[in-house]
Amino acid sequence: MGPEPHPWIAPALPLLGMWRGSGTGGYATLADGFSYEQEITFSHDGRPFLRYEARAWLTDSEGRPDRPSGRETGWWRVGADGYLEAVVAHPIGIATTYVGRISGGEIEMASRDTVVTPLAKEVTASRRRLTLREDELTVVTEVEAVGQPLQQHLSARLRRLPG
């Protein structure tokens, strides 16, 4: 049994745990779309924020994992009224701060600042929408990058794993 959650994270408590599922992605600069498997974990240590970790694998035409893909980690800080701030870092040299809101099973956040290392691709904005319905979590990510306007990049449906 872990620590008692901070009261402010009450709107985010349904996210706690591990989620896994599949999705599709694409972007205007890519010749073809792609399929992937994704795993997301939300945890806490009693303070008013969640630890967030996500990892993904590209899948082959039969849905089998082919090779590692996206990975990110960060912290989601929840305010007393469902206000949300997040810091998310990627190993490809991108770090983003988000602001948004958690309301019921809906979470929306948009980038406030994005920084990239000299070797990273240009990313100027991003937006995320998460929808939680019972034990299904839908995640949609939009990005504005490499001279392209804000557009959908990823969409996945995840199921809560037992435990």
Short mmCIF file of all heavy atoms in Angstrom, two decimals, residues 63-132:
data_model
loop_
_atom_site.label_atom_id
_atom_site.label_comp_id
_atom_site.label_asym_id
_atom_site.label_seq_id
_atom_site.Cartn_x
_atom_site.Cartn_y
_atom_site.Cartn_z
N GLY A 63 0.82 -6.61 -36.43
CA GLY A 63 0.62 -6.09 -35.08
C GLY A 63 1.64 -6.52 -34.05
O GLY A 63 1.46 -6.26 -32.87
N ARG A 64 2.72 -7.16 -34.48
CA ARG A 64 3.77 -7.59 -33.55
C ARG A 64 4.77 -6.46 -33.35
O ARG A 64 5.11 -5.76 -34.31
CB ARG A 64 4.47 -8.83 -34.08
CG ARG A 64 3.58 -10.07 -34.14
CD ARG A 64 4.39 -11.26 -34.62
NE ARG A 64 5.03 -10.98 -35.89
CZ ARG A 64 4.77 -11.63 -37.04
NH1 ARG A 64 3.92 -12.62 -37.05
NH2 ARG A 64 5.40 -11.29 -38.15
N PRO A 65 5.29 -6.30 -32.12
CA PRO A 65 6.31 -5.27 -31.89
C PRO A 65 7.50 -5.47 -32.84
O PRO A 65 7.99 -6.58 -33.01
CB PRO A 65 6.73 -5.49 -30.44
CG PRO A 65 5.54 -6.14 -29.81
CD PRO A 65 4.94 -7.00 -30.89
N ASP A 66 7.92 -4.37 -33.47
CA ASP A 66 8.99 -4.41 -34.46
C ASP A 66 10.27 -3.78 -33.91
O ASP A 66 11.35 -4.35 -34.02
CB ASP A 66 8.52 -3.68 -35.72
CG ASP A 66 9.47 -3.82 -36.89
OD1 ASP A 66 10.14 -4.86 -37.00
OD2 ASP A 66 9.54 -2.87 -37.69
N ARG A 67 10.13 -2.57 -33.32
CA ARG A 67 11.29 -1.89 -32.76
C ARG A 67 10.82 -0.77 -31.82
O ARG A 67 9.69 -0.29 -31.94
CB ARG A 67 12.20 -1.33 -33.84
CG ARG A 67 11.57 -0.28 -34.71
CD ARG A 67 12.53 0.15 -35.83
NE ARG A 67 11.86 0.97 -36.81
CZ ARG A 67 11.82 2.30 -36.78
NH1 ARG A 67 12.42 2.96 -35.82
NH2 ARG A 67 11.20 2.97 -37.72
N PRO A 68 11.68 -0.36 -30.89
CA PRO A 68 11.30 0.73 -29.98
C PRO A 68 11.00 2.01 -30.75
O PRO A 68 11.57 2.26 -31.81
CB PRO A 68 12.53 0.91 -29.09
CG PRO A 68 13.29 -0.37 -29.21
CD PRO A 68 13.01 -0.88 -30.58
N SER A 69 10.12 2.80 -30.19
CA SER A 69 9.75 4.08 -30.81
C SER A 69 9.77 5.16 -29.74
O SER A 69 10.73 5.24 -28.98
CB SER A 69 8.36 3.95 -31.46
OG SER A 69 8.03 5.12 -32.14
N GLY A 70 8.71 5.94 -29.62
CA GLY A 70 8.69 7.07 -28.71
C GLY A 70 8.84 6.69 -27.25
O GLY A 70 8.42 5.62 -26.81
N ARG A 71 9.45 7.58 -26.51
CA ARG A 71 9.60 7.41 -25.07
C ARG A 71 9.57 8.80 -24.45
O ARG A 71 10.14 9.74 -25.01
CB ARG A 71 10.94 6.73 -24.78
CG ARG A 71 11.13 6.39 -23.34
CD ARG A 71 11.31 4.91 -23.19
NE ARG A 71 11.16 4.56 -21.80
CZ ARG A 71 11.62 3.45 -21.30
NH1 ARG A 71 12.26 2.60 -22.06
NH2 ARG A 71 11.44 3.18 -20.03
N GLU A 72 8.92 8.93 -23.31
CA GLU A 72 8.88 10.21 -22.61
C GLU A 72 8.62 9.99 -21.15
O GLU A 72 8.07 8.97 -20.75
CB GLU A 72 7.84 11.15 -23.22
CG GLU A 72 6.44 10.60 -23.26
CD GLU A 72 5.49 11.48 -24.05
OE1 GLU A 72 5.90 12.16 -25.01
OE2 GLU A 72 4.30 11.47 -23.71
N THR A 73 9.04 10.96 -20.37
CA THR A 73 8.83 10.90 -18.93
C THR A 73 8.59 12.31 -18.41
O THR A 73 8.98 13.28 -19.06
CB THR A 73 10.04 10.25 -18.22
OG1 THR A 73 9.71 10.01 -16.85
CG2 THR A 73 11.28 11.10 -18.32
N GLY A 74 7.93 12.40 -17.28
CA GLY A 74 7.69 13.73 -16.74
C GLY A 74 6.83 13.71 -15.50
O GLY A 74 6.64 12.69 -14.85
N TRP A 75 6.30 14.89 -15.22
CA TRP A 75 5.50 15.11 -14.02
C TRP A 75 4.28 15.92 -14.39
O TRP A 75 4.36 16.88 -15.16
CB TRP A 75 6.32 15.88 -12.98
CG TRP A 75 7.58 15.16 -12.63
CD1 TRP A 75 8.82 15.33 -13.17
CD2 TRP A 75 7.72 14.11 -11.68
NE1 TRP A 75 9.71 14.46 -12.61
CE2 TRP A 75 9.06 13.69 -11.69
CE3 TRP A 75 6.83 13.47 -10.81
CZ2 TRP A 75 9.54 12.69 -10.87
CZ3 TRP A 75 7.31 12.47 -10.00
CH2 TRP A 75 8.65 12.09 -10.02
N TRP A 76 3.14 15.52 -13.86
CA TRP A 76 1.90 16.27 -14.02
C TRP A 76 1.53 16.84 -12.66
O TRP A 76 1.31 16.09 -11.70
CB TRP A 76 0.77 15.35 -14.48
CG TRP A 76 0.88 14.85 -15.88
CD1 TRP A 76 2.00 14.70 -16.64
CD2 TRP A 76 -0.20 14.38 -16.68
NE1 TRP A 76 1.69 14.17 -17.85
CE2 TRP A 76 0.34 13.97 -17.91
CE3 TRP A 76 -1.57 14.26 -16.48
CZ2 TRP A 76 -0.44 13.46 -18.94
CZ3 TRP A 76 -2.36 13.76 -17.49
CH2 TRP A 76 -1.79 13.37 -18.71
N ARG A 77 1.46 18.15 -12.56
CA ARG A 77 1.10 18.80 -11.29
C ARG A 77 -0.36 19.25 -11.39
O ARG A 77 -0.74 19.96 -12.30
CB ARG A 77 2.01 19.99 -11.04
CG ARG A 77 1.80 20.60 -9.69
CD ARG A 77 2.93 21.49 -9.29
NE ARG A 77 3.15 22.58 -10.23
CZ ARG A 77 4.01 23.55 -10.02
NH1 ARG A 77 4.74 23.57 -8.94
NH2 ARG A 77 4.16 24.50 -10.91
N VAL A 78 -1.14 18.80 -10.42
CA VAL A 78 -2.58 19.06 -10.43
C VAL A 78 -2.91 20.07 -9.35
O VAL A 78 -2.48 19.93 -8.21
CB VAL A 78 -3.36 17.75 -10.20
CG1 VAL A 78 -4.87 18.00 -10.27
CG2 VAL A 78 -2.95 16.69 -11.21
N GLY A 79 -3.69 21.09 -9.71
CA GLY A 79 -4.15 22.08 -8.74
C GLY A 79 -5.48 21.65 -8.14
O GLY A 79 -6.13 20.71 -8.60
N ALA A 80 -5.88 22.35 -7.10
CA ALA A 80 -7.08 21.99 -6.35
C ALA A 80 -8.34 21.98 -7.21
O ALA A 80 -9.27 21.25 -6.94
CB ALA A 80 -7.25 22.94 -5.17
N ASP A 81 -8.39 22.76 -8.25
CA ASP A 81 -9.61 22.88 -9.05
C ASP A 81 -9.53 22.14 -10.38
O ASP A 81 -10.32 22.38 -11.28
CB ASP A 81 -9.91 24.35 -9.31
CG ASP A 81 -8.77 25.04 -10.07
OD1 ASP A 81 -7.72 24.40 -10.30
OD2 ASP A 81 -8.93 26.22 -10.44
N GLY A 82 -8.57 21.22 -10.54
CA GLY A 82 -8.42 20.49 -11.79
C GLY A 82 -7.47 21.14 -12.77
O GLY A 82 -7.23 20.62 -13.86
N TYR A 83 -6.90 22.30 -12.40
CA TYR A 83 -5.88 22.93 -13.22
C TYR A 83 -4.70 21.97 -13.34
O TYR A 83 -4.36 21.27 -12.40
CB TYR A 83 -5.45 24.25 -12.58
CG TYR A 83 -4.24 24.90 -13.22
CD1 TYR A 83 -4.38 25.61 -14.40
CD2 TYR A 83 -2.99 24.81 -12.64
CE1 TYR A 83 -3.27 26.21 -14.99
CE2 TYR A 83 -1.88 25.39 -13.22
CZ TYR A 83 -2.03 26.11 -14.39
OH TYR A 83 -0.95 26.70 -14.98
N LEU A 84 -4.08 21.92 -14.51
CA LEU A 84 -3.01 20.97 -14.75
C LEU A 84 -1.81 21.65 -15.38
O LEU A 84 -1.96 22.45 -16.32
CB LEU A 84 -3.52 19.87 -15.70
CG LEU A 84 -2.52 18.84 -16.20
CD1 LEU A 84 -2.02 17.98 -15.05
CD2 LEU A 84 -3.16 17.97 -17.28
N GLU A 85 -0.63 21.34 -14.85
CA GLU A 85 0.64 21.71 -15.47
C GLU A 85 1.44 20.43 -15.64
O GLU A 85 1.39 19.56 -14.78
CB GLU A 85 1.45 22.64 -14.56
CG GLU A 85 0.82 23.96 -14.30
CD GLU A 85 1.65 24.82 -13.36
OE1 GLU A 85 2.50 24.28 -12.61
OE2 GLU A 85 1.44 26.03 -13.37
N ALA A 86 2.14 20.32 -16.75
CA ALA A 86 2.95 19.13 -16.97
C ALA A 86 4.29 19.52 -17.55
O ALA A 86 4.40 20.50 -18.30
CB ALA A 86 2.23 18.16 -17.91
N VAL A 87 5.30 18.73 -17.21
CA VAL A 87 6.64 18.85 -17.79
C VAL A 87 6.95 17.47 -18.37
O VAL A 87 6.90 16.48 -17.65
CB VAL A 87 7.69 19.23 -16.73
CG1 VAL A 87 9.08 19.27 -17.34
CG2 VAL A 87 7.34 20.55 -16.06
N VAL A 88 7.23 17.42 -19.67
CA VAL A 88 7.47 16.14 -20.35
C VAL A 88 8.76 16.25 -21.15
O VAL A 88 8.95 17.20 -21.92
CB VAL A 88 6.29 15.78 -21.28
CG1 VAL A 88 6.55 14.50 -22.02
CG2 VAL A 88 4.98 15.69 -20.48
N ALA A 89 9.65 15.27 -20.97
CA ALA A 89 10.93 15.25 -21.68
C ALA A 89 11.04 13.98 -22.52
O ALA A 89 10.59 12.91 -22.11
CB ALA A 89 12.08 15.32 -20.69
N HIS A 90 11.65 14.13 -23.69
CA HIS A 90 11.87 13.03 -24.63
C HIS A 90 13.37 12.81 -24.80
O HIS A 90 14.14 13.78 -24.83
CB HIS A 90 11.30 13.38 -26.01
CG HIS A 90 9.86 13.76 -26.00
ND1 HIS A 90 8.87 12.90 -26.38
CD2 HIS A 90 9.24 14.91 -25.66
CE1 HIS A 90 7.70 13.50 -26.27
NE2 HIS A 90 7.91 14.72 -25.83
N PRO A 91 13.82 11.58 -25.00
CA PRO A 91 15.25 11.33 -25.19
C PRO A 91 15.78 11.84 -26.52
O PRO A 91 16.99 11.86 -26.72
CB PRO A 91 15.36 9.80 -25.10
CG PRO A 91 14.02 9.30 -25.49
CD PRO A 91 13.04 10.34 -25.01
N ILE A 92 14.89 12.30 -27.39
CA ILE A 92 15.33 12.83 -28.69
C ILE A 92 15.62 14.33 -28.64
O ILE A 92 15.76 14.98 -29.66
CB ILE A 92 14.31 12.50 -29.81
CG1 ILE A 92 12.93 13.05 -29.46
CG2 ILE A 92 14.27 11.01 -30.06
CD1 ILE A 92 11.89 12.92 -30.57
N GLY A 93 15.71 14.87 -27.42
CA GLY A 93 16.13 16.26 -27.25
C GLY A 93 15.01 17.28 -27.21
O GLY A 93 15.23 18.45 -27.52
N ILE A 94 13.82 16.88 -26.81
CA ILE A 94 12.68 17.80 -26.74
C ILE A 94 12.13 17.78 -25.32
O ILE A 94 11.94 16.71 -24.74
CB ILE A 94 11.57 17.38 -27.73
CG1 ILE A 94 12.11 17.38 -29.16
CG2 ILE A 94 10.36 18.29 -27.62
CD1 ILE A 94 11.21 16.69 -30.17
N ALA A 95 11.86 18.97 -24.77
CA ALA A 95 11.20 19.09 -23.46
C ALA A 95 10.08 20.11 -23.60
O ALA A 95 10.28 21.18 -24.19
CB ALA A 95 12.19 19.52 -22.38
N THR A 96 8.93 19.79 -23.05
CA THR A 96 7.74 20.64 -23.21
C THR A 96 7.06 20.84 -21.88
O THR A 96 6.93 19.91 -21.09
CB THR A 96 6.75 19.98 -24.20
OG1 THR A 96 7.41 19.70 -25.43
CG2 THR A 96 5.57 20.89 -24.48
N THR A 97 6.61 22.08 -21.64
CA THR A 97 5.72 22.35 -20.52
C THR A 97 4.32 22.53 -21.11
O THR A 97 4.14 23.12 -22.17
CB THR A 97 6.13 23.61 -19.73
OG1 THR A 97 6.09 24.75 -20.59
CG2 THR A 97 7.50 23.46 -19.13
N TYR A 98 3.34 21.97 -20.41
CA TYR A 98 1.95 22.05 -20.82
C TYR A 98 1.13 22.69 -19.72
O TYR A 98 1.46 22.57 -18.54
CB TYR A 98 1.37 20.65 -21.04
CG TYR A 98 1.91 19.90 -22.22
CD1 TYR A 98 3.02 19.08 -22.08
CD2 TYR A 98 1.31 19.99 -23.46
CE1 TYR A 98 3.51 18.36 -23.15
CE2 TYR A 98 1.80 19.28 -24.55
CZ TYR A 98 2.90 18.46 -24.39
OH TYR A 98 3.39 17.76 -25.45
N VAL A 99 0.02 23.33 -20.09
CA VAL A 99 -0.99 23.78 -19.14
C VAL A 99 -2.33 23.30 -19.68
O VAL A 99 -2.53 23.18 -20.89
CB VAL A 99 -0.99 25.31 -18.93
CG1 VAL A 99 0.28 25.76 -18.24
CG2 VAL A 99 -1.19 26.05 -20.23
N GLY A 100 -3.23 23.00 -18.75
CA GLY A 100 -4.54 22.51 -19.17
C GLY A 100 -5.44 22.28 -17.99
O GLY A 100 -5.27 22.87 -16.93
N ARG A 101 -6.39 21.35 -18.19
CA ARG A 101 -7.40 21.11 -17.17
C ARG A 101 -7.84 19.65 -17.22
O ARG A 101 -7.93 19.05 -18.28
CB ARG A 101 -8.59 22.03 -17.44
CG ARG A 101 -9.74 21.86 -16.51
CD ARG A 101 -10.65 23.07 -16.49
NE ARG A 101 -10.01 24.28 -16.03
CZ ARG A 101 -9.67 24.55 -14.77
NH1 ARG A 101 -9.91 23.67 -13.84
NH2 ARG A 101 -9.11 25.68 -14.44
N ILE A 102 -8.14 19.13 -16.02
CA ILE A 102 -8.76 17.82 -15.87
C ILE A 102 -10.19 18.07 -15.41
O ILE A 102 -10.41 18.74 -14.40
CB ILE A 102 -8.02 16.96 -14.82
CG1 ILE A 102 -6.59 16.69 -15.24
CG2 ILE A 102 -8.77 15.66 -14.60
CD1 ILE A 102 -5.77 15.94 -14.21
N SER A 103 -11.14 17.54 -16.14
CA SER A 103 -12.54 17.71 -15.77
C SER A 103 -13.27 16.41 -16.08
O SER A 103 -13.45 16.05 -17.25
CB SER A 103 -13.16 18.88 -16.55
OG SER A 103 -14.52 19.02 -16.22
N GLY A 104 -13.68 15.71 -15.03
CA GLY A 104 -14.31 14.40 -15.24
C GLY A 104 -13.33 13.48 -15.92
O GLY A 104 -12.18 13.37 -15.53
N GLY A 105 -13.75 12.84 -16.99
CA GLY A 105 -12.88 11.95 -17.73
C GLY A 105 -12.16 12.62 -18.88
O GLY A 105 -11.60 11.94 -19.74
N GLU A 106 -12.17 13.94 -18.93
CA GLU A 106 -11.54 14.68 -20.03
C GLU A 106 -10.31 15.44 -19.53
O GLU A 106 -10.38 16.12 -18.52
CB GLU A 106 -12.52 15.69 -20.64
CG GLU A 106 -13.82 15.08 -21.13
CD GLU A 106 -13.64 14.23 -22.37
OE1 GLU A 106 -12.78 14.56 -23.20
OE2 GLU A 106 -14.37 13.23 -22.51
N ILE A 107 -9.24 15.30 -20.27
CA ILE A 107 -8.01 16.04 -19.96
C ILE A 107 -7.55 16.71 -21.24
O ILE A 107 -7.40 16.04 -22.27
CB ILE A 107 -6.91 15.09 -19.45
CG1 ILE A 107 -7.40 14.36 -18.20
CG2 ILE A 107 -5.61 15.86 -19.19
CD1 ILE A 107 -6.65 13.11 -17.90
N GLU A 108 -7.36 18.00 -21.18
CA GLU A 108 -6.84 18.73 -22.33
C GLU A 108 -5.69 19.58 -21.85
O GLU A 108 -5.76 20.22 -20.81
CB GLU A 108 -7.92 19.62 -22.95
CG GLU A 108 -9.01 18.82 -23.62
CD GLU A 108 -9.83 19.64 -24.60
OE1 GLU A 108 -9.34 20.67 -25.09
OE2 GLU A 108 -10.96 19.23 -24.85
N MET A 109 -4.61 19.56 -22.64
CA MET A 109 -3.47 20.41 -22.32
C MET A 109 -2.79 20.84 -23.61
O MET A 109 -2.78 20.10 -24.60
CB MET A 109 -2.52 19.74 -21.36
CG MET A 109 -1.92 18.46 -21.80
SD MET A 109 -0.81 17.85 -20.49
CE MET A 109 -1.12 16.12 -20.61
N ALA A 110 -2.24 22.04 -23.56
CA ALA A 110 -1.54 22.59 -24.72
C ALA A 110 -0.16 23.06 -24.27
O ALA A 110 0.02 23.49 -23.12
CB ALA A 110 -2.31 23.76 -25.31
N SER A 111 0.79 22.99 -25.18
CA SER A 111 2.15 23.40 -24.83
C SER A 111 2.19 24.88 -24.51
O SER A 111 1.50 25.69 -25.13
CB SER A 111 3.12 23.07 -25.96
OG SER A 111 2.74 23.74 -27.15
N ARG A 112 2.97 25.20 -23.52
CA ARG A 112 3.24 26.59 -23.19
C ARG A 112 4.63 26.95 -23.71
O ARG A 112 4.82 28.00 -24.31
CB ARG A 112 3.16 26.80 -21.69
CG ARG A 112 3.47 28.21 -21.31
CD ARG A 112 3.20 28.50 -19.90
NE ARG A 112 3.56 29.89 -19.69
CZ ARG A 112 3.51 30.48 -18.54
NH1 ARG A 112 3.10 29.82 -17.49
NH2 ARG A 112 3.87 31.72 -18.42
N ASP A 113 5.59 26.06 -23.48
CA ASP A 113 6.96 26.25 -23.95
C ASP A 113 7.51 24.92 -24.42
O ASP A 113 7.25 23.89 -23.80
CB ASP A 113 7.86 26.78 -22.82
CG ASP A 113 7.42 28.14 -22.30
OD1 ASP A 113 7.48 29.10 -23.08
OD2 ASP A 113 7.01 28.20 -21.13
N THR A 114 8.27 24.96 -25.48
CA THR A 114 8.98 23.78 -25.95
C THR A 114 10.41 24.18 -26.24
O THR A 114 10.65 25.19 -26.89
CB THR A 114 8.33 23.21 -27.24
OG1 THR A 114 6.98 22.85 -26.95
CG2 THR A 114 9.07 22.00 -27.75
N VAL A 115 11.34 23.40 -25.71
CA VAL A 115 12.74 23.63 -25.99
C VAL A 115 13.31 22.38 -26.65
O VAL A 115 12.86 21.27 -26.37
CB VAL A 115 13.56 24.00 -24.73
CG1 VAL A 115 13.11 25.34 -24.17
CG2 VAL A 115 13.45 22.92 -23.67
N VAL A 116 14.25 22.60 -27.54
CA VAL A 116 14.88 21.49 -28.24
C VAL A 116 16.39 21.65 -28.18
O VAL A 116 16.91 22.76 -28.14
CB VAL A 116 14.41 21.39 -29.72
CG1 VAL A 116 12.92 21.13 -29.80
CG2 VAL A 116 14.75 22.65 -30.49
N THR A 117 17.08 20.52 -28.17
CA THR A 117 18.53 20.55 -28.21
C THR A 117 18.96 20.84 -29.66
O THR A 117 18.15 20.75 -30.58
CB THR A 117 19.11 19.20 -27.75
OG1 THR A 117 18.66 18.18 -28.63
CG2 THR A 117 18.71 18.90 -26.32
N PRO A 118 20.23 21.19 -29.89
CA PRO A 118 20.67 21.52 -31.24
C PRO A 118 20.45 20.41 -32.28
O PRO A 118 20.23 20.71 -33.46
CB PRO A 118 22.16 21.81 -31.06
CG PRO A 118 22.28 22.29 -29.66
CD PRO A 118 21.28 21.48 -28.90
N LEU A 119 20.47 19.14 -31.88
CA LEU A 119 20.29 18.05 -32.85
C LEU A 119 18.84 17.61 -33.01
O LEU A 119 18.54 16.78 -33.86
CB LEU A 119 21.15 16.85 -32.46
CG LEU A 119 22.66 17.08 -32.46
CD1 LEU A 119 23.38 15.82 -31.99
CD2 LEU A 119 23.15 17.50 -33.84
N ALA A 120 17.93 18.13 -32.20
CA ALA A 120 16.53 17.71 -32.24
C ALA A 120 15.79 18.35 -33.40
O ALA A 120 16.17 19.41 -33.90
CB ALA A 120 15.84 18.08 -30.93
N LYS A 121 14.70 17.69 -33.81
CA LYS A 121 13.81 18.28 -34.82
C LYS A 121 13.10 19.47 -34.21
O LYS A 121 12.82 19.51 -33.01
CB LYS A 121 12.77 17.26 -35.28
CG LYS A 121 13.34 16.17 -36.12
CD LYS A 121 12.23 15.25 -36.62
CE LYS A 121 12.82 14.15 -37.48
NZ LYS A 121 11.80 13.24 -37.97
N GLU A 122 12.75 20.42 -35.06
CA GLU A 122 12.02 21.60 -34.60
C GLU A 122 10.58 21.21 -34.24
O GLU A 122 9.87 20.63 -35.05
CB GLU A 122 11.99 22.65 -35.72
CG GLU A 122 11.12 23.83 -35.38
CD GLU A 122 10.68 24.61 -36.61
OE1 GLU A 122 10.46 24.01 -37.68
OE2 GLU A 122 10.54 25.83 -36.46
N VAL A 123 10.19 21.50 -33.02
CA VAL A 123 8.81 21.35 -32.57
C VAL A 123 8.42 22.68 -31.95
O VAL A 123 9.09 23.16 -31.03
CB VAL A 123 8.65 20.21 -31.54
CG1 VAL A 123 7.22 20.15 -31.02
CG2 VAL A 123 9.06 18.88 -32.15
N THR A 124 7.35 23.30 -32.45
CA THR A 124 6.98 24.63 -31.96
C THR A 124 5.73 24.64 -31.08
O THR A 124 5.52 25.58 -30.33
CB THR A 124 6.79 25.60 -33.14
OG1 THR A 124 5.96 24.99 -34.12
CG2 THR A 124 8.14 25.94 -33.78
N ALA A 125 4.89 23.61 -31.17
CA ALA A 125 3.69 23.54 -30.33
C ALA A 125 3.16 22.11 -30.32
O ALA A 125 3.42 21.34 -31.25
CB ALA A 125 2.61 24.49 -30.86
N SER A 126 2.41 21.80 -29.28
CA SER A 126 1.74 20.50 -29.22
C SER A 126 0.52 20.60 -28.31
O SER A 126 0.41 21.50 -27.48
CB SER A 126 2.68 19.40 -28.74
OG SER A 126 3.24 19.72 -27.51
N ARG A 127 -0.38 19.68 -28.53
CA ARG A 127 -1.61 19.63 -27.76
C ARG A 127 -1.96 18.16 -27.52
O ARG A 127 -1.73 17.33 -28.40
CB ARG A 127 -2.74 20.33 -28.51
CG ARG A 127 -4.01 20.44 -27.76
CD ARG A 127 -5.02 21.37 -28.39
NE ARG A 127 -5.19 21.11 -29.81
CZ ARG A 127 -5.62 22.01 -30.68
NH1 ARG A 127 -5.89 23.23 -30.30
NH2 ARG A 127 -5.77 21.69 -31.95
N ARG A 128 -2.50 17.87 -26.33
CA ARG A 128 -2.88 16.50 -25.99
C ARG A 128 -4.30 16.49 -25.44
O ARG A 128 -4.66 17.37 -24.66
CB ARG A 128 -1.93 15.90 -24.96
CG ARG A 128 -0.52 15.77 -25.48
CD ARG A 128 0.39 15.21 -24.43
NE ARG A 128 1.75 15.18 -24.95
CZ ARG A 128 2.65 14.29 -24.62
NH1 ARG A 128 2.35 13.33 -23.77
NH2 ARG A 128 3.87 14.34 -25.12
N ARG A 129 -5.03 15.47 -25.85
CA ARG A 129 -6.37 15.23 -25.31
C ARG A 129 -6.44 13.78 -24.86
O ARG A 129 -6.15 12.88 -25.64
CB ARG A 129 -7.44 15.49 -26.38
CG ARG A 129 -7.60 16.96 -26.72
CD ARG A 129 -8.77 17.20 -27.67
NE ARG A 129 -8.83 16.30 -28.81
CZ ARG A 129 -8.17 16.44 -29.95
NH1 ARG A 129 -7.36 17.46 -30.12
NH2 ARG A 129 -8.31 15.58 -30.93
N LEU A 130 -6.79 13.59 -23.61
CA LEU A 130 -6.97 12.25 -23.06
C LEU A 130 -8.41 12.12 -22.61
O LEU A 130 -8.96 13.05 -22.00
CB LEU A 130 -6.03 12.01 -21.87
CG LEU A 130 -4.54 11.97 -22.18
CD1 LEU A 130 -3.93 13.35 -22.20
CD2 LEU A 130 -3.84 11.10 -21.16
N THR A 131 -9.01 11.00 -22.93
CA THR A 131 -10.39 10.73 -22.52
C THR A 131 -10.42 9.40 -21.81
O THR A 131 -9.96 8.39 -22.35
CB THR A 131 -11.32 10.69 -23.76
OG1 THR A 131 -11.18 11.91 -24.49
CG2 THR A 131 -12.77 10.54 -23.33
N LEU A 132 -10.95 9.41 -20.60
CA LEU A 132 -11.03 8.21 -19.79
C LEU A 132 -12.49 7.79 -19.66
O LEU A 132 -13.31 8.56 -19.17
CB LEU A 132 -10.43 8.47 -18.41
CG LEU A 132 -10.45 7.32 -17.42
CD1 LEU A 132 -9.69 6.11 -17.96
CD2 LEU A 132 -9.85 7.77 -16.10
#
